Amino acid sequence: MNNLNSIAKGWFSEICDMWPGIALSIEIERVLFSKKTRFQQIDLFQTKSHGKMLVLDGIIQLTEADEFAYHEMMTHVPLFAHPDPKSVLVIGGGDGGVLREVGRHQCIESIDFCEIDDEIIKLSKKFLPKIACGFDDPRISIHIEDGSRFITRQKNRYDVIIVDSSDPIGPGEKLFEKPFYLGLKNALKKNGIIATQGESFFIHKEYVKNLVKITKQLFPVQAYSYMLVPTYPGGHLGICLASLGPELKQPARSMPENFQEKLQYYSLKIHRASFVLPYFAQEMIDGI
Ligand code: SPM
């Protein structure tokens, strides 16, 4: 675990330089898994109120209680904004949550999945089966590699790319930089869409501004959406979206039959609503 983070009297506190002065604390029952890999410290806890909780380098990545909000929005906003997605790339998200959601789209023919740390995949298959339930989908090809390197070899291949990264400290750092975004753009087919983890407009203004600046410079269409996630700092997380053509704020297709009932957070209505930002956040983004 990250030195700054602590477990005291049965509580895990998420303390990080990226959000100084605040910490989310969750009461834990026991440690299920703890390992330092080549890339990061992985911890999995059984919490009292939120099911299992995955923590990387001391930062909460997901809890079983609210992971659906993040995974559904990161996935279905870009996939429903595309009129006919057939080829998808997912970078990061070794827990499999985004893959589970991508797999719900029967129109998709191939899914490339690139994760830097295969220990997260192994752990998730063992301890988080409801999240890591999509790995056996025959449409998936798994690549264990740094996403910032993998992307440099991909040209004109994908309709949608989803980047489910951790924060821009540690192994995720390069995934917030302009060369990576240029790689994403080059990897897209005509009319392609990207969606990346967009941080918080309340507590990470400089990171958000930087992502918006990069995507506005590189792509003809750019937009910022967000979802509510109680166990991320600030209780929400943004999605930075960009496309080579399609409008992003409106779904481009209707929902297949029986699709909605499998979801808990995403709907076509929340798709549109998620782009309506608080006034200060919209002003900040428009000013870039
Ligand atoms: N598949 C789950 C991986 C989660 N990826 C995003 C994690 C972000 C954690 N920190 C949020 C900090 C708030 N800006």
Side-chain angles (χ1 to χ4, degrees), residues 181-195:
Y181 276 82
L182 189 56
L184 294 178
K185 181 182 178 184
N186 292 336
L188 286 178
K189 285 184 181 166
K190 189 171 174 261
N191 289 325
I193 294 176
I194 63 161

Side-chain angles (χ1 to χ4, degrees), residues 19 59-61 70-71 95 164-165 167 197 199-200 204 232-233 237:
W19 43 93
I59 308 299
I60 298 169
Q61 301 301 307
Y70 175 81
H71 291 130
D95 50 80
D164 178 8
S165 67
D167 295 312
Q197 198 264 87
E199 296 296 348
S200 155
H204 302 128
Y232 289 151
L237 203 62

Side-chain angles (χ1 to χ4, degrees), residues 28-274:
I28 57 169
E29 278 179 350
R30 60 185 190 281
V31 179
L32 297 169
F33 181 94
S34 185
K35 181 169 183 174
K36 182 145 186 71
T37 71
R38 258 190 335 126
F39 303 102
Q40 57 209 336
Q41 173 66 38
I42 305 177
D43 293 290
L44 186 74
F45 299 103
Q46 181 66 50
T47 71
K48 279 214 166 148
S49 56
H50 281 65
K52 296 187 189 101
M53 175 169 77
L54 177 65
V55 175
L56 298 182
D57 285 338
I59 308 299
I60 298 169
Q61 301 301 307
L62 64 82
T63 76
E64 286 182 313
D66 59 9
E67 55 83 15
F68 65 88
Y70 175 81
H71 291 130
E72 288 184 20
M73 290 296 281
M74 279 299 291
T75 306
H76 303 308
V77 172
L79 285 179
F80 276 108
H82 196 285
D84 188 22
K86 294 207 177 312
S87 164
V88 173
L89 168 63
V90 178
I91 294 178
D95 50 80
V98 166
L99 280 183
R100 176 190 67 199
E101 297 304 319
V102 171
R104 298 191 197 284
H105 293 257
Q106 295 306 317
C107 56
I108 292 171
E109 292 168 358
S110 68
I111 306 164
D112 275 347
F113 171 58
C114 179
E115 163 63 54
I116 194 169
D117 194 344
D118 66 340
E119 293 284 348
I120 301 186
I121 301 176
K122 285 187 210 154
L123 155 111
S124 303
K125 283 182 174 173
K126 181 168 177 193
F127 291 100
L128 300 167
K130 288 190 185 143
I131 299 172
C133 56
F135 282 101
D136 293 334
D137 188 323
R139 296 170 294 176
I140 297 179
S141 307
I142 298 179
H143 309 267
I144 303 300
E145 190 178 344
D146 182 338
S148 67
R149 281 190 29 203
F150 177 84
I151 202 69
T152 58
R153 302 194 303 276
Q154 316 308 321
K155 309 288 174 219
N156 192 28
R157 286 196 63 171
Y158 303 108
D159 296 310
V160 174
I161 303 175
I162 301 168
V163 183
D164 178 8
S165 67
S166 46
D167 295 312
I169 39 179
E173 202 170 343
K174 289 195 197 121
L175 308 185
F176 289 76
E177 293 172 358
K178 194 168 180 180
F180 177 66
Y181 276 82
L182 189 56
L184 294 178
K185 181 182 178 184
N186 292 336
L188 286 178
K189 285 184 181 166
K190 189 171 174 261
N191 289 325
I193 294 176
I194 63 161
T196 64
Q197 198 264 87
E199 296 296 348
S200 155
F201 46 67
F202 265 107
I203 53 179
H204 302 128
K205 292 190 176 60
E206 292 313 312
Y207 288 109
V208 173
K209 282 197 227 170
N210 190 45
L211 289 179
V212 171
K213 186 173 158 197
I214 292 171
T215 42
K216 278 190 178 179
Q217 284 171 348
L218 294 177
F219 292 84
V221 182
Q222 194 281 337
Y224 192 89
S225 155
Y226 76 103
M227 88 294 291
L228 304 175
V229 185
T231 53
Y232 289 151
H236 68 289
L237 203 62
I239 312 174
C240 183
L241 292 122
S243 93
L244 295 179
E247 157 66 16
L248 296 161
K249 297 182 183 180
Q250 300 291 334
R253 55 201 173 95
S254 56
M255 225 178 238
E257 209 179 335
N258 303 326
F259 199 98
Q260 182 67 75
E261 63 207 44
K262 297 187 185 108
L263 307 180
Q264 297 182 73
Y265 193 107
Y266 181 87
S267 67
L268 298 181
K269 219 170 171 180
I270 201 101
H271 182 125
R272 299 181 189 97
S274 71

